[in-house]
C-alpha cells in the first residue's frame, strides 16, 4: 500500500496522510492489485500513459494542439500535460481563461478548419458550460453538413467522483455523452487503455469525448513493449475481457473495472467464476462482446459509478434483454451510484458510490446465493 | 453596350453562381472573367451614405473606389439574392419548404459588400439567416432551393435544411441554429488561420439579438489575448426576433461592446460602405487582432416565415426603409447616375434573374427526397463497424 502512496503523490500537492485515508475508503482492496503487479516487469501510471500519448501524437502531427485551463505553465491541473509546453511551445499548448463556452467553441471552430484540437476540461462537471458546442456544434456537424465539415476534436478530462469534492464536482457524464449520435465516447481503465484509446481518439476524424478518472491517474499498471511503441493504438468500439469467467458477466468502465476485478477475486474464493468486461468504449458500445459473454455465463451485473436512472447499465441491460433474453437465467442486476447528489461527509460519500461488497452481493443475488443482511450505515 | 451583351450571355447558364468582382480569386461556379483591365469598365469613386463612426480606431475614408463591373455586379448579385428570398417565401407558403425559414431580403448589401473586400480563402460563418451568404460564397441556386425543400440535390443532401448550408471549399462554415454559437466557432476558424500562418481572416456574423450572448465576450477576450484575425460582424437589423434592440440591450451601440476591441459603425444598406469597412477590418485584423463591425441594416421579412414582422414594428417603418434605404435601389440610382446602362436594361436584367430563379426552382423540384438509407449516413466520418438503430430496433438496424 505504501509503495502505491508514494507513486500516487507525484503531483506533490496532496498531503500523503490525507491521500492515504481517502484511498483506503475508496480502494479498500488495492493491496491485492499491487501485490499482483510487482513481479511483472515494466509499469506505468495512467498519468504517464496519458502524457506520453499526448506527447507522441503532438510529435507525429503538427496539427494537434492542446487547449484548456492550466495545461501549460501550471503543467496541468492534474499534471497530465506536464512538460508539453516546454517541448512544443505556447502556440501548441494554450492556457485558456476560465471560459469553457468560449474556448470550447474556439476549439470546435479550429477543428472545422482542419486542425486537431485536444480540449481539456479540468473536470467534466465544467463541460456542462460548453455542452452546446460539444453536442450541437461538434457531434451533429458531419451529419447536418452531409460530410462537408468534419470535426476531428478530442474533449478530455477527469470524470466521475474523486474524494470529498461533493456534489458539483463528482458527477459522471458517461450516460449523457453516450446518448448522443455523432460522438464517440471512451473511458480508459488501465495505462494500456489510456495510451491506446487516447492515441486512437486523437487520430480519429470524429469528435471524441474522453472520460478519464482522477483517482486512476496515479495508479500504476504493467505495460508491454507493444503498448510502449509510438504506433500503438486501440480500436474504438471494442471492449476488453479483463478476466475470463463462466458464471456471471460483470460489465464496468474506468475505476469500476478495478472494483469489479477485486469482486471477482473475492467471488472466486466462494466458487463463483466472474467474467469482467472492461467496456473501454461507451459509444459505440460493444454490444457484440457483452451479449456473447452473457450468452456464455447466463447472468449479468452492470457496474457504474454514475447516477442510476437512464445510465450506462440501463442501456446494457436493455441490449441484453433484447438480444439474449432466452440465455438469461436470472434477472439483470445494476450496481450504480446512489440516486442522490454526492454528499461530502465521508460516511455518506462511501454509501453514495459502489463498493466492492456491493458488486459481490449483486453477483450472489444473480447466482441465487444468499447474501448477508446489509449492516446499518 | 458590348459589356451588357457579354453580361446577358453569361446569365443563361442554369444554377449559376454570382457575378463576382474582379478583385476575387478562384470562383467555384465555372464563371470566368475577362482578364484585361478594359473589361472592368470605367473606374470611379463613390461616397458612402454616411461617414463611419469609430470606436478605438481611426475610421476609413468615405470615398470608395469602384468599377462599372463591380457596380453592375452588386446590382445583379443583390437582385438575385432578393429574388431568391422572395421565391423562398412563396415556396414556404406552398408548403414545399418546412420548418424554419429565415429570410435575408433587405440585408443583401452586407453579403455582397463583404464578398467584394475578401477572397475565398478568408472564412465566413454566420447563424441561420444564411441563404444569401451561401450564394455569395459560391453556392448555386439549384442546390439552395433543393436543400430548402429537403431534396437529394441540396447542398447538405437534404439533411440540413434552411439553417444548415455549408461550403468549406468556398470558405463558408455555415449555417448554425444556436444563437451566438457561431461566434466562438468563428474565432476558432481565425485561430486555425493564424496557426497555419495563412494571412487570411474570418468574418463571424451575428445579429443584435446574439450580441448579448456571454460566449461572444468569452471568445472576444480570447481572440484579443491571442491576437486572432477575427472580424465580428454584427448585422444589427434592430430586432432580435420580436424584441427591439432597446428592449434587449442596455447599450445597443454594438460596435462599442467589444470594450478594449476596436469597432466601426457602418451603414449596412450601402454595399460600398460595407466593402470599405470589411477591407479596413481585414487589414486591421491581420495586424492587430479582432475588430467589430456593426452593420446598420434591416430585414423586410419578419424573423422567420412564422412571423408577420408587424406586431412589433409598424408597416410605416418597413415601407420607409424600403423607400429611403433599400440597398438595390441605391445601386440602381448610382448605375443610372453614372450612365452605365439604361433603366430599361436594368429591368431586363431583373427579368432574366426572375426567369433564372424560376428555372432553378423547377430543376430543384425534380430532385427526389433522399433515399431512406441516407438516414444512417455521415453520422461519423469513420464508423467502427457497430450498430445504428432505426425506430423499430428489431427491424431496422445497420452497421456503420
Amino acid at each position: 500500500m505504501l509503495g502505491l502512496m508514494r507513486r500516487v503523490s507525484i503531483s506533490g500537492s496532496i498531503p500523503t496522510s490525507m491521500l492515504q485515508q481517502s484511498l483506503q475508503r475508496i480502494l479498500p482492496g488495492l493491496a491485492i492489485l499491487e501485490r499482483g503487479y510487482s513481479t511483472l516487469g515494466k509499469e506505468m501510471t495512467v498519468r504517464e500513459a496519458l502524457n506520453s500519448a499526448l506527447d507522441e501524437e503532438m510529435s507525429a502531427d503538427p496539427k494537434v494542439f492542446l487547449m484548456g485551463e492550466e495545461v501549460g505553465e501550471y503543467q496541468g491541473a492534474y499534471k497530465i500535460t506536464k512538460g508539453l509546453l516546454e517541448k512544443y511551445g505556447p502556440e501548441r499548448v494554450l492556457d485558456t481563461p476560465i471560459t469553457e463556452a468560449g474556448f470550447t467553441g474556439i476549439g470546435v471552430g479550429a477543428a472545422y478548419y482542419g486542425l486537431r484540437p485536444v480540449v481539456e476540461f479540468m473536470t467534466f462537471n465544467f463541460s456542462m458550460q460548453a455542452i452546446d458546442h460539444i453536442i450541437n456544434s461538434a457531434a451533429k456537424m458531419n451529419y447536418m453538413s452531409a460530410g462537408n465539415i468534419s470535426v476531428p476534436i478530442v474533449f478530455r478530462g477527469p470524470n466521475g467522483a474523486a474524494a470529498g469534492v461533493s456534489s458539483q464536482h463528482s458527477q459522471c457524464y458517461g450516460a449523457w455523452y453516450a446518448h448522443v449520435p455523432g460522438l464517440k465516447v471512451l473511458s480508459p481503465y488501465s495505462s494500456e487503455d489510456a495510451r491506446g484509446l487516447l492515441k486512437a481518439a486523437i487520430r480519429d476524424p470524429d469528435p471524441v469525448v474522453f472520460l478519464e478518472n482522477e483517482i486512476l491517474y496515479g495508479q500504476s499498471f504493467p505495460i508491454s513493449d507493444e503498448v510502449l511503441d509510438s504506433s500503438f493504438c486501440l480500436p474504438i468500439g471494442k471492449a476488453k475481457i479483463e478476466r475470463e469467467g463462466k458464471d456471471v458477466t460483470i460489465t464496468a468502465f474506468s475505476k469500476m473495472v478495478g472494483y469489479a476485478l477485486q469482486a471477482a477475486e473475492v467471488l472466486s474464493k466462494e466458487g463463483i467464476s466472474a467474467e469482467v468486461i472492461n467496456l473501454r468504449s461507451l459509444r459505440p458500445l460493444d454490444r457484440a462482446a457483452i451479449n456473447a459473454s452473457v450468452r456464455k455465463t447466463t447472468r449479468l451485473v452492470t457496474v457504474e459509478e454514475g447516477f442510476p436512472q437512464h445510465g450506462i447499465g440501463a442501456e446494457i441491460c436493455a441490449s441484453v434483454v433484447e438480444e439474449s433474453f432466452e440465455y438469461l437465467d436470472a434477472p439483470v442486476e445494476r450496481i450504480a451510484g446512489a440516486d442522490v447528489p454526492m454528499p461530502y461527509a465521508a460516511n455518506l460519500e462511501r454509501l453514495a458510490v459502489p463498493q466492492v461488497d456491493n458488486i459481490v452481493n449483486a453477483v450472489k443475488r444473480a447466482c441465487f446465493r444468499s447474501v448477508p443482511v446489509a449492516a446499518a450505515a | 453596350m458590348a459589356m451588357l451583351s457579354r453580361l446577358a450571355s453569361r446569365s443563361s447558364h442554369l444554377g449559376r453562381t454570382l457575378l463576382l468582382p474582379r478583385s476575387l480569386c478562384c470562383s467555384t461556379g465555372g464563371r470566368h472573367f475577362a482578364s484585361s483591365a478594359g473589361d472592368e469598365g470605367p473606374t470611379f469613386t463613390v461616397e458612402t451614405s454616411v461617414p463611419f463612426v469609430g470606436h478605438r480606431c481611426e475610421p476609413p475614408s468615405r470615398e470608395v473606389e469602384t468599377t462599372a463591373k463591380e457596380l453592375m455586379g452588386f446590382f445583379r448579385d443583390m437582385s438575385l439574392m432578393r429574388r431568391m428570398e422572395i421565391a423562398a417565401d412563396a415556396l414556404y407558403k406552398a408548403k414545399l419548404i418546412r420548418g424554419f425559414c429565415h429570410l435575408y431580403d433587405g440585408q443583401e448589401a452586407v453579403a455582397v459588400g463583404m464578398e467584394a473586400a475578401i477572397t475565398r480563402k478568408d472564412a465566413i460563418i454566420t447563424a441561420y439567416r444564411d441563404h444569401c451568404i451561401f450564394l455569395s460564397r459560391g453556392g448555386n441556386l439549384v442546390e439552395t432551393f433543393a436543400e430548402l425543400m429537403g431534396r437529394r440535390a441540396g447542398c447538405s443532401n437534404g439533411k440540413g435544411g434552411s439553417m444548415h448550408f455549408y461550403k468549406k471549399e468556398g470558405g463558408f462554415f455555415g449555417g448554425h441554429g444556436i444563437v451566438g454559437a457561431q461566434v466562438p466557432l468563428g474565432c476558432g476558424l481565425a485561430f486555425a488561420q493564424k496557426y497555419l500562418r495563412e494571412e487570411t481572416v474570418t468574418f463571424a456574423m451575428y445579429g443584435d439579438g446574439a450580441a448579448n450572448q456571454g460566449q461572444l465576450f468569452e471568445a472576444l477576450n480570447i481572440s484579443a489575448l491571442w491576437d486572432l484575425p477575427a472580424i465580428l460582424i454584427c448585422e444589427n437589423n434592430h430586432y432580435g426576433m420580436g424584441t427591439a434592440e432597446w428592449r434587449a440591450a442596455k447599450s445597443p451601440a454594438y460596435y462599442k461592446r467589444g470594450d478594449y476591441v476596436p469597432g466601426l459603425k457602418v451603414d449596412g444598406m450601402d454595399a460600398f460602405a460595407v466593402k470599405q469597412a470589411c477591407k479596413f477590418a481585414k487589414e486591421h485584423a491581420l495586424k492587430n487582432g479582432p475588430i467589430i463591425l456593426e452593420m446598420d441594416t434591416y430585414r423586410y421579412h419578419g424573423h422567420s416565415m412564422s412571423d408577420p414582422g408587424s406586431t412589433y414594428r409598424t408597416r410605416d417603418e418597413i415601407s420607409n426603409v424600403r423607400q429611403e434605404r433599400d440597398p438595390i435601389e441605391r445601386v440602381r440610382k448610382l448605375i443610372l447616375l453614372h450612365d452605365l446602362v439604361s433603366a430599361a436594361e436594368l429591368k431586363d436584367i431583373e427579368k432574366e434573374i426572375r426567369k433564372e430563379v424560376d428555372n432553378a426552382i423547377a430543376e430543384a423540384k425534380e430532385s427526389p427526397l433522399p433515399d431512406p438509407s441516407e438516414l444512417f449516413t455521415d453520422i461519423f466520418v469513420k464508423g467502427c463497424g457497430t450498430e445504428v438503430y432505426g425506430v423499430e430496433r428489431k427491424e431496422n438496424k445497420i452497421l456503420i
Side-chain angles (χ1 to χ4, degrees):
Chain A
M1 198 67 158
L2 275 176
L4 183 71
M5 291 305 128
R6 259 180 260 122
R7 274 195 289 272
V8 170
S9 57
I10 285 171
S11 66
S13 50
I14 306 170
T16 311
S17 56
M18 222 172 82
L19 190 57
Q20 248 170 301
Q21 281 168 45
S22 308
L23 281 169
Q24 260 156 11
R25 260 201 313 282
I26 291 163
L27 301 169
L30 203 53
I32 301 170
L33 280 174
E34 201 204 357
R35 250 181 274 127
Y37 292 141
S38 60
T39 54
L40 287 173
K42 273 180 239 165
E43 284 194 341
M44 184 183 249
T45 62
V46 170
R47 177 179 284 112
E48 287 161 350
L50 294 169
N51 184 276
S52 62
L54 289 169
D55 190 350
E56 286 162 22
E57 294 308 303
M58 287 182 77
S59 174
D61 185 350
K63 293 213 179 86
V64 177
F65 70 95
L66 307 185
M67 194 161 74
E69 294 153 13
E70 312 301 350
V71 296
E73 293 189 11
Y74 196 88
Q75 306 298 317
Y78 299 98
K79 304 295 176 274
I80 305 301
T81 53
K82 184 168 186 211
L84 297 175
L85 173 64
E86 285 68 38
K87 189 164 178 186
Y88 296 103
E91 282 186 11
R92 295 185 68 194
V93 180
L94 296 126
D95 282 323
T96 64
I98 309 172
T99 53
E100 276 77 5
F103 71 69
T104 305
I106 285 177
V108 176
Y112 284 177
Y113 203 84
L115 296 185
R116 306 189 82 92
V118 179
V119 175
E120 176 176 302
F121 291 115
M122 197 181 282
T123 78
F124 265 92
N125 300 284
F126 315 140
S127 73
M128 291 197 286
Q129 305 218 302
I131 202 165
D132 178 61
H133 282 298
I134 299 173
I135 312 285
N136 280 323
S137 305
K140 299 175 183 172
M141 181 52 68
N142 200 64
Y143 190 85
M144 285 195 299
S145 69
N148 189 253
I149 298 185
S150 65
V151 195
I153 192 167
V154 176
F155 305 103
R156 53 156 292 274
N159 175 60
V165 292
S166 194
S167 50
Q168 292 180 342
H169 285 73
S170 304
Q171 190 165 335
C172 173
Y173 292 87
W176 283 28
Y177 290 120
H179 185 63
V180 180
L183 284 182
K184 290 171 178 167
V185 182
L186 304 175
S187 195
Y189 161 61
S190 63
S191 300
E192 172 180 330
D193 289 356
R195 263 183 69 76
L197 293 177
L198 186 55
K199 282 154 99 45
I202 293 172
R203 294 180 202 177
D204 199 274
D206 295 305
V208 182
V209 171
F210 195 83
L211 304 172
E212 301 160 5
N213 185 284
E214 193 210 317
I215 306 292
L216 286 177
Y217 282 154
Q219 194 169 326
S220 204
F221 292 85
I223 204 142
S224 71
D225 285 335
E226 188 205 349
V227 175
L228 285 170
D229 190 84
S230 65
S231 65
F232 177 67
C233 209
L234 284 173
I236 293 178
K238 291 265 170 286
K240 181 186 177 199
I241 312 285
E242 287 287 345
R243 179 185 174 125
E244 279 190 27
K246 55 180 188 52
D247 296 329
V248 64
T249 298
I250 307 177
T251 63
F253 63 95
S254 188
K255 189 171 84 200
M256 290 290 124
V257 175
Y259 282 37
L261 288 169
Q262 288 174 62
E265 192 61 38
V266 169
L267 289 161
S268 72
K269 296 184 174 55
E270 303 194 33
I272 298 177
S273 154
E275 178 148 290
V276 176
I277 299 183
N278 171 5
L279 294 174
R280 285 182 164 174
S281 180
L282 300 181
R283 186 172 189 108
L285 195 59
D286 194 346
R287 296 166 203 275
I290 295 166
N291 277 282
S293 174
V294 174
R295 288 178 181 210
K296 183 176 77 170
T297 65
T298 76
R299 295 163 212 279
L300 173 70
V301 173
T302 68
V303 182
E304 68 200 285
E305 196 183 59
F307 299 139
Q309 193 164 334
H310 312 298
I312 302 291
E315 176 64 30
I316 294 175
C317 290
S319 175
V320 163
V321 164
E322 282 167 5
E323 306 284 331
S324 309
F325 183 69
E326 319 78 58
Y327 294 82
L328 285 169
D329 281 340
V332 293
E333 277 254 3
R334 291 182 291 165
I335 290 296
D339 207 1
V340 301
M342 181 69 71
Y344 168 68
N347 62 329
L348 295 182
E349 187 184 53
R350 196 179 188 286
L351 287 173
V353 285
Q355 306 300 330
V356 176
D357 291 345
N358 301 127
I359 304 174
V360 170
N361 291 344
V363 169
K364 284 182 174 172
R365 280 192 294 271
C367 295
F368 298 110
R369 302 273 195 97
S370 62
V371 168
V373 171
Chain B
M1 276 306 151
M3 188 174 75
L4 180 62
S5 59
R6 259 201 300 280
L7 292 169
S9 64
R10 278 182 193 143
S11 67
S12 60
H13 166 62
L14 267 185
R16 72 169 179 89
T17 55
L18 299 180
L19 177 65
L20 299 160
R22 214 170 150 251
S23 55
L24 297 179
C25 67
C26 61
S27 159
T28 55
R31 184 165 282 288
H32 53 273
F33 298 92
S35 54
S36 73
D39 286 302
E40 290 286 344
T43 305
F44 43 91
T45 307
V46 166
E47 199 190 44
T48 65
S49 58
V50 292
F52 299 101
V53 183
H55 167 73
R56 289 186 187 274
C57 69
E58 208 39 61
S61 154
R62 281 177 77 176
E63 311 294 315
V64 185
E65 279 233 333
T66 185
T67 65
K69 183 169 175 178
E70 181 174 74
L71 185 49
M72 288 304 298
F74 279 179
F75 180 81
R76 287 189 81 85
D77 294 345
M78 289 198 283
S79 299
L80 184 70
M81 290 174 177
R82 179 69 56 91
R83 192 65 230 144
M84 174 180 77
E85 296 293 75
I86 290 171
D89 172 299
L91 287 173
Y92 193 91
K93 286 169 176 152
K95 297 201 191 306
L96 284 162
I97 299 176
R98 308 176 318 121
F100 292 130
C101 191
H102 306 86
L103 299 175
Y104 199 71
D105 50 311
Q107 300 183 210
E108 299 91 347
V110 178
V112 303
M114 184 182 348
E115 198 62 45
I118 64 176
T119 75
R120 287 281 168 74
K121 295 217 180 301
D122 296 307
I124 300 180
I125 192 169
T126 187
Y128 43 75
R129 208 175 296 280
D130 60 343
H131 311 158
C132 299
I133 306 284
F134 175 70
L135 219 59
S136 70
R137 290 263 91 186
N140 69 53
L141 288 173
V142 176
E143 60 185 350
T144 303
F145 285 118
E147 187 59 36
L148 288 173
M149 295 192 282
R151 308 295 178 94
R152 218 172 281 204
C155 52
S156 298
N157 296 358
K159 288 166 78 168
S162 166
M163 301 185 287
H164 301 297
F165 289 9
Y166 305 93
K167 197 172 267 286
K168 187 169 177 177
E169 59 278 18
F172 181 55
F173 290 85
H176 294 271
I178 307 296
V179 170
Q182 74 277 16
V183 177
L185 294 171
C187 295
L189 296 171
F191 175 89
Q193 289 169 320
K194 182 168 178 167
Y195 188 100
L196 296 168
R197 292 170 171 40
E198 291 191 347
E199 295 299 303
T200 52
V201 299
T202 294
F203 289 81
M205 305 174 74
Y206 60 101
D208 47 292
N212 302 308
Q213 277 260 317
Q215 57 185 320
L216 217 115
F217 297 95
E218 295 188 15
L220 206 55
N221 176 46
I222 293 177
S223 302
L225 273 173
W226 296 352
D227 285 314
L228 303 183
I231 299 160
L232 270 60
I233 306 275
C234 178
E235 292 186 280
N236 181 8
N237 58 24
H238 308 284
Y239 297 92
M241 200 155 148
T243 304
E245 59 184 322
W246 54 271
R247 286 212 301 138
K250 186 70 178 173
S251 164
Y254 300 107
Y255 71 107
K256 288 187 185 169
R257 295 281 290 278
D259 184 14
Y260 42 81
V261 169
L264 203 62
K265 191 169 159 126
V266 183
D267 178 2
M269 304 298 261
D270 177 347
F272 291 101
V274 173
K275 173 187 155 182
Q276 184 84 316
C278 290
K279 186 158 163 284
F280 170 79
K282 178 169 175 176
E283 282 163 25
H284 181 280
L286 283 172
K287 279 204 308 278
N288 307 323
I291 184 168
I292 299 178
L293 300 182
E294 178 185 337
M295 304 289 180
D296 183 353
T297 184
Y298 201 83
R299 52 166 163 80
Y300 295 138
H301 269 87
H303 163 72
S304 73
M305 285 304 298
S306 34
D307 171 24
S310 49
T311 57
Y312 48 86
R313 45 185 201 173
T314 62
R315 290 189 201 280
D316 276 348
E317 178 188 290
I318 304 171
S319 53
N320 246 329
V321 174
R322 223 187 255 280
Q323 196 118 322
E324 306 292 320
R325 299 179 67 208
D326 185 86
I328 300 176
E329 290 317 302
R330 166 168 287 135
V331 162
R332 190 195 304 268
K333 286 195 190 96
L334 272 172
I335 289 174
L336 296 176
L337 179 72
H338 289 275
D339 218 3
L340 300 182
V341 297
S342 73
E345 281 158 333
L346 288 178
K347 280 262 177 283
D348 284 341
I349 292 174
E350 286 174 308
K351 264 195 239 134
E352 267 166 47
I353 283 171
R354 228 194 154 97
K355 202 159 64 123
E356 239 180 88
V357 167
D358 289 343
N359 288 339
I361 291 175
E363 187 177 330
K365 279 181 180 169
E366 298 286 302
S367 176
L369 291 170
D371 189 87
S373 64
E374 291 283 344
L375 184 65
F376 298 117
T377 58
D378 295 320
I379 297 167
F380 289 138
V381 172
K382 186 174 157 197
C384 306
T386 50
E387 313 82 356
V388 177
Y389 295 93
V391 172
E392 287 186 60
R393 301 167 71 81
K394 302 247 170 188
E395 302 301 314
N396 204 353
K397 162 177 104 172
I398 71 156
L399 297 180
I400 58 160

